[in-house]
Amino acid sequence: MRRLVVAGALVAIGLTAAYAQSNPISERKDLFKAFGASLRAVGPMMRNEAAFDGAKVQEALKIIGEGAPKVAKLFPAGSGTGDTKALPAIWTDNAKFQGLFTKLEADAKAAAAVIKDEATLKAEMPKVLANCGTCHDAFRAK
């Protein structure tokens, strides 16, 4: 009986993973949520509402730097309908869209290499965050 329950659980986990892998909208939303969650700790530092914490900054930049190329692949043709705010411009101007993720990855990695204190955070993090605004303005429905 125990083996049957374990086997059933493994099948359920496998099906859930397979569904997530076959659902690019869900996958990209999860990655964007991870970006946002990691930046929640950085925002107060940028506004002088929290002390600089290099570990939290580096973790956020790692999540963004590693996630950017993954997200870029999660906009296949046909994934612009349903529960998404993706605009058609993603597919009509895909080179520009993909280039933003390449730039986001590069900017996050460059920032991670130089941010060591509050001053460098305030100088470098806006370069990373500007990518988010650029993409949202051109490729995301309000």
Side-chain angles (χ1 to χ4, degrees):
M1 180 67 165
R2 187 183 303 180
R3 287 182 186 169
L4 184 60
V5 171
V6 170
L10 291 174
V11 168
I13 290 169
L15 290 175
T16 300
Y19 173 75
Q21 290 175 351
S22 67
N23 187 342
I25 294 172
S26 175
E27 286 184 73
R28 64 191 186 224
K29 281 184 167 188
D30 288 346
L31 282 168
F32 285 135
K33 286 177 186 176
F35 288 5
S38 70
L39 289 169
R40 278 191 202 94
V42 178
M45 291 180 229
M46 296 287 295
R47 295 185 301 270
N48 294 322
E49 296 170 359
F52 175 77
D53 184 334
K56 288 180 181 177
V57 172
Q58 291 298 321
E59 180 63 21
L61 292 168
K62 179 180 180 201
I63 289 169
I64 293 167
E66 291 177 356
K70 294 176 185 175
V71 172
K73 296 176 185 173
L74 294 173
F75 288 87
S79 69
T81 59
D83 187 20
T84 181
K85 293 183 179 181
L87 291 175
I90 289 171
W91 296 276
T92 59
D93 196 0
N94 195 258
K96 179 179 178 184
F97 180 73
Q98 294 296 323
L100 288 173
F101 284 104
T102 301
K103 185 174 181 313
L104 176 61
E105 177 185 13
D107 288 350
K109 289 179 178 181
V114 297
I115 294 177
K116 305 296 180 211
D117 54 27
E118 185 177 337
T120 53
L121 170 69
K122 290 182 178 183
E124 298 299 320
M125 189 57 84
K127 297 173 189 174
V128 176
L129 298 176
N131 293 295
C132 302
T134 300
C135 189
H136 285 202
D137 290 345
F139 297 106
R140 182 178 187 241
K142 307 292 184 237

